[in-house]
Amino acid sequence: MSPMTPTVNKSTKRYPASGWFAHPVLSVLLAASWLALSHSLEWVHLLSAVLIGLIVPRLLRPFLTQASVLHWPTALRLMVVVLWDIVVSNVVVAKLVLGPLDRMQPGWIPVPLACSHHRVNALFASIITTTPGTVSALIDEEQGVILVHALNCDNPATMAAEMKQRYEAPLLRAFHLEPGSPT
């Protein structure tokens, strides 16, 4: 194997994708973003969107990793759970903030990580932060833990177990990973 031959890992392949449409989701998002920013569907803007959608991913090719293969039904169910939890958490946080402040019990929760997959851990931390009332403060992959601050935490172990069950377990299934699997 020569030094220029890239190594391929099952979950995150680090090599330049080939072809002009190697990252279709990125291409479509870039084109749609361009059209949204231009507020026009004139032919010049449509042509610009197509060119941006094709050229930018091609220019970024050395910096992009191969996309992970997802189990889409699990990913969509997780998205529904997260959206529901955001709505419910907003109501809970509003009641806490508008009520007597002595009801709040802020605390730090160490949430152990089930794997060392960078995308899964980053998404897990993002989901925790997106849900009102909790913020991921630190992802310590060496220790295998996410440190989370909760606005109201009466039982840290229960909250950590619930986060793992509601968000991390579906993420692992969506990325076709087993707990304890490497990157």
Side-chain angles (χ1 to χ4, degrees), residues 41-100:
L41 292 177
E42 293 182 23
W43 71 269
V44 69
H45 295 290
L46 290 172
L47 179 62
S48 298
V50 169
L51 290 174
I52 287 170
L54 292 175
I55 293 172
V56 171
R58 184 89 171 172
L59 292 173
L60 295 175
R61 191 172 60 175
F63 306 104
L64 298 175
T65 58
Q66 186 68 20
S68 297
V69 177
L70 290 179
H71 184 256
W72 283 102
T74 303
L76 293 173
R77 277 193 301 273
L78 175 62
M79 187 173 65
V80 169
V81 167
V82 170
L83 290 174
W84 175 255
D85 285 354
I86 289 171
V87 170
V88 171
S89 294
N90 270 309
V91 173
V92 170
V93 168
K95 286 181 181 178
L96 279 171
V97 172
L98 296 174

Side-chain angles (χ1 to χ4, degrees), residues 18 27 97 123 132 134 159 183:
S18 59
S27 295
V97 172
L123 285 170
T134 55
M159 281 189 77
T183 55

Side-chain angles (χ1 to χ4, degrees), residues 106-119:
W108 290 97
I109 306 166
V111 181
L113 296 171
C115 74
S116 59
H117 191 276
H118 300 297
R119 288 182 185 160

Side-chain angles (χ1 to χ4, degrees), residues 10 15 17 34 40 51 62 72 87 96 128 132 138 140 152-153:
K10 184 178 179 184
Y15 59 87
W34 178 259
S40 172
L51 290 174
W72 283 102
V87 170
L96 279 171
I128 291 169
L138 172 75
D140 188 348
N152 190 27
C153 174

